[in-house]
Amino acid sequence: MSATILMWSVTIAHVLLAVAMVCQAIRFIRGPRAQDRVMAFDAFYVSSMLLLLTFGIRTGTTLYFEAALVISLLGFVSTVALAKFLMRGEVIE
């Protein structure tokens, strides 16, 4: 019974995260300002990280958790670099 509930929950999470990623991709492409695109990029990598975590829950493999950790670290650094570039015009002072 609990395995069935977990399977359905993960499947629903996959669908909702995919819909969220499509919306974020649209915002990234159509964003009127650079700040909107940075925010869309930030939300996109968080959604992709969560999608990998749900894949890891479904399969029981730790490889997805490690990939999600790497994506989160790289996404954080890239978002900070883009925000700093937008504020000051340069990344490294």
Side-chain angles (χ1 to χ4, degrees):
M1 179 68 181
S2 64
T4 306
I5 292 172
L6 180 65
M7 182 69 104
W8 277 103
S9 300
V10 169
T11 303
I12 291 170
H14 283 168
V15 171
L16 292 177
L17 285 170
V19 170
M21 289 176 76
V22 168
C23 293
Q24 293 151 5
I26 291 170
R27 173 55 69 191
F28 185 76
I29 293 169
R30 299 179 71 194
R33 297 182 308 164
Q35 290 87 354
D36 296 329
R37 290 189 169 114
V38 170
M39 287 298 295
F41 178 72
D42 188 44
F44 191 82
Y45 89 77
V46 169
S47 296
S48 66
M49 179 187 66
L50 292 174
L51 192 63
L52 280 177
L53 288 177
T54 54
F55 277 129
I57 290 171
R58 172 175 266 184
T59 60
T61 307
T62 60
L63 179 66
Y64 292 110
F65 297 109
E66 293 170 3
L69 180 66
V70 170
I71 285 176
S72 68
L73 289 174
L74 292 176
F76 174 74
V77 170
S78 66
T79 301
V80 168
L82 284 172
K84 192 171 179 181
F85 178 75
L86 289 175
M87 288 179 64
R88 297 185 182 164
E90 59 186 25
V91 176
I92 298 173
E93 297 177 13

